[in-house]
């Protein structure tokens, strides 16, 4: 069977799993749909592989070989095929575009639902289906240059379109409910809008309150778990800044979030200069030497680490 047919079958079976009333099929739904997307990508790499290269572009191992005319050809070797990172590298090099952030979200959800979430339900998988729909639709149309509806078949196409529409509408309702609250900083609003339920992974978090965010309660539409602001805001903000924190750690640069020097259990958003829990702001410019105080040295005092150290020395003498 061709890779393309495998891809389409995998997506179709994943959608049948999703539609099933049997909760045990939820995990296989996420596995099949993700596998189907990767197979679509591999199909493209296969198509682009030179004739006689033994599908070099989908093989992890590719070695040069001299043919009868003396020319060097790159030939695929072994059974191991490309993984997500290999596909990403090759696509980038071949100018094939995919929304990798979205794909990463699908992959993370698929992984979390197998190892981490304690509640499984069809509603919490909606975002994965909706994300998958956008990737599959764009890839088939833009990169395979086919009509997604006819390639996937009318019935499966309709499931994808419907879930995507329902999810987009529900997500919009949740987002607007969060916008009604007052936050110490808008970044906190964006972090909560990007937050996923701890219990089931759904992105459908809403509130019925409309005053101060710190006094509000939030509810997951998919599993109905309720949480108070304080219970989710730190995680939400840390997740929201996770990429920035990673690159600050890897390449150097300011940590985006540190522990609050005033209340100690809140996340302090350095760029915004505010703690998400107590709302306090620290001094970012040392009053003694005028330098910018780096995130690690933010304190309830108004001097930098160096000046505070010097001051302690003077006092001790
Ligand atoms: Zn939930
Ligand atoms: Zn604080
Ligand atoms: Zn100083």
């Amino acid at each position: 069977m061709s890779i393309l047919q495998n891809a389409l079958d995998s997506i179709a079976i994943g959608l049948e799993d999703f539609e099933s009333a049997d909760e045990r099929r939820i995990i296989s739904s996420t596995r099949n749909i993700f596998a189907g997307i990767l197979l679509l990508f591999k199909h493209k790499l296969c198509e682009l592989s030179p004739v006689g290269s033994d599908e070099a572009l989908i093989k992890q191992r590719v070695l040069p070989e001299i043919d009868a005319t003396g020319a060097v050809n790159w030939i695929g070797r072994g059974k191991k095929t490309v993984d997500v990172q290999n596909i990403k590298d090759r696509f980038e090099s071949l100018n094939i575009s995919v929304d990798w952030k979205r794909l990463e979200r699908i992959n993370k959800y698929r992984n979390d639902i197998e190892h981490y979430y304690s509640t499984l339900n069809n509603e919490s998988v909606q975002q994965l289906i909706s994300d998958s729909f956008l990737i599959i639709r764009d890839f088939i149309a833009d990169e395979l240059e086919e009509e997604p509806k006819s390639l996937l078949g009318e019935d499966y196409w309709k499931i994808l379109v419907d879930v995507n529409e329902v999810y987009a509408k529900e997500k919009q309702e949740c987002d607007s409910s969060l916008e009604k609250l007052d936050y110490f900083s808008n970044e906190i609003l964006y972090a909560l809008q990007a937050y996923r339920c701890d219990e089931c992974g759904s992105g459908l978090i809403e509130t019925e309150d409309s005053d101060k965010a710190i006094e509000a309660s939030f509810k997951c539409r998919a599993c109905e778990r309720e949480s108070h602001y304080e219970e989710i805001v730190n995680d939400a903000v840390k997740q929201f800044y996770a990429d920035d924190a990673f690159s600050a750690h890897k390449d150097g640069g300011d940590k985006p979030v540190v522990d609050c020097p005033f209340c100690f259990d809140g996340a302090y958003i350095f760029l915004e200069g505010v703690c998400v829990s107590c709302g306090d702001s620290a001094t970012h410019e040392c009053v003694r030497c005028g330098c910018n105080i780096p995130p690690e040295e933010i304190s309830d005092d108004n001097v930098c680490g160096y000046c505070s150290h010097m001051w302690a020395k003077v006092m001790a003498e």
Side-chain angles (χ1 to χ4, degrees):
M1 206 186 329
S2 75
I3 297 186
L4 178 61
Q5 193 54 50
N6 266 333
L8 299 173
D9 286 349
S10 192
I11 294 167
I13 294 168
L15 290 172
E16 284 165 15
D17 288 332
F18 171 74
E19 295 257 281
S20 147
D22 186 347
E23 274 190 12
R24 290 169 303 180
R25 287 178 63 184
I26 291 177
I27 287 183
S28 83
S29 155
T30 64
R31 272 187 205 159
N32 281 320
I33 291 172
F34 187 69
I37 294 173
L38 292 190
L39 284 166
L40 275 185
F41 293 169
K42 286 183 185 175
H43 163 69
K44 177 72 186 176
L45 287 174
C46 221
E47 268 194 340
L48 292 172
S49 297
V51 180
S53 72
D54 210 4
E55 295 165 344
L57 288 176
I58 62 162
K59 297 286 171 65
Q60 282 206 359
R61 216 165 121 84
V62 183
L63 294 172
E65 208 177 78
I66 297 175
D67 66 15
T69 67
V72 173
N73 298 307
W74 290 88
I75 311 289
R77 289 281 175 248
K79 285 207 172 73
K80 255 191 146 177
T81 58
V82 283
D83 61 19
V84 179
Q85 187 57 45
N86 300 143
I87 296 175
K88 193 175 171 186
D89 293 342
R90 291 180 193 188
F91 273 11
E92 269 165 11
S93 174
L94 292 162
N95 269 329
I96 298 170
S97 65
V98 166
D99 183 345
W100 292 107
K101 257 205 145 123
R102 201 181 286 282
L103 189 86
E104 193 39 57
R105 193 157 72 187
I106 298 171
N107 196 14
K108 184 167 186 313
Y109 183 82
R110 179 196 63 86
N111 192 54
D112 286 348
I113 200 173
E114 291 186 25
H115 301 113
Y116 177 65
Y117 298 135
S118 45
T119 308
L120 303 182
N121 65 55
N122 295 59
E123 231 188 320
S124 58
V125 184
Q126 278 179 355
Q127 184 173 6
L128 175 135
I129 308 270
S130 159
D131 279 335
S132 303
F133 165 72
L134 299 172
I135 294 221
I136 293 167
R137 181 196 63 189
D138 292 350
F139 194 77
I140 292 179
D142 301 341
E143 303 299 341
L144 304 184
E145 293 174 1
E146 300 262 4
E147 168 65 49
K149 188 170 160 184
S150 54
L151 200 59
L152 288 162
E154 191 118 13
D155 293 347
Y156 297 113
W157 175 252
K158 190 170 167 3
I159 300 175
L160 284 168
V161 172
D162 288 351
V163 173
N164 181 56
E165 262 175 25
V166 169
Y167 183 78
K169 184 172 165 284
E170 292 206 26
K171 179 67 181 150
Q172 181 55 48
E173 287 167 8
C174 290
D175 281 355
S176 334
S177 81
L178 298 180
E179 280 162 19
K180 293 202 181 97
L181 300 172
D182 285 330
Y183 299 87
F184 292 133
S185 150
N186 270 342
E187 292 293 295
I188 303 172
L189 164 65
Y190 308 144
L192 288 171
Q193 287 176 331
Y195 181 68
R196 281 164 167 254
C197 170
D198 219 24
E199 197 80 15
C200 75
S202 166
L204 298 175
I205 309 290
E206 64 179 341
T207 181
E208 284 170 7
D209 298 323
S210 57
D211 200 3
K212 286 186 182 142
I214 43 165
E215 286 161 10
S217 286
F218 300 85
K219 194 168 127 192
C220 168
R221 269 197 189 188
C223 74
E224 306 202 329
R225 180 198 169 100
E226 287 202 48
S227 325
H228 191 261
Y229 176 81
E230 269 167 31
E231 293 173 276
I232 57 171
V233 72
N234 283 333
D235 279 348
V237 165
K238 280 176 193 159
Q239 283 166 25
F240 189 64
Y241 284 103
D243 285 351
D244 293 345
F246 180 74
S247 50
H249 178 73
K250 198 165 130 267
D251 310 320
D254 285 343
K255 274 190 189 171
V257 177
V258 290
D259 290 335
C260 171
F262 303 101
C263 68
F264 303 108
D265 45 33
Y268 186 87
I269 308 177
F270 184 72
L271 267 181
E272 299 293 301
V274 73
C275 166
V276 303
S277 186
C278 68
D280 261 341
S281 273
T283 308
H284 284 226
E285 195 184 284
C286 174
V287 293
R288 195 173 162 275
C289 73
C291 77
N292 289 323
I293 305 178
E296 300 74 33
E297 292 175 18
I298 284 289
S299 71
D300 56 355
D301 208 350
N302 51 12
V303 291
C304 70
Y306 176 76
C307 292
S308 141
H309 172 73
M310 292 312 282
W311 181 248
K313 249 173 102 174
V314 170
M315 293 299 282
E317 273 166 10

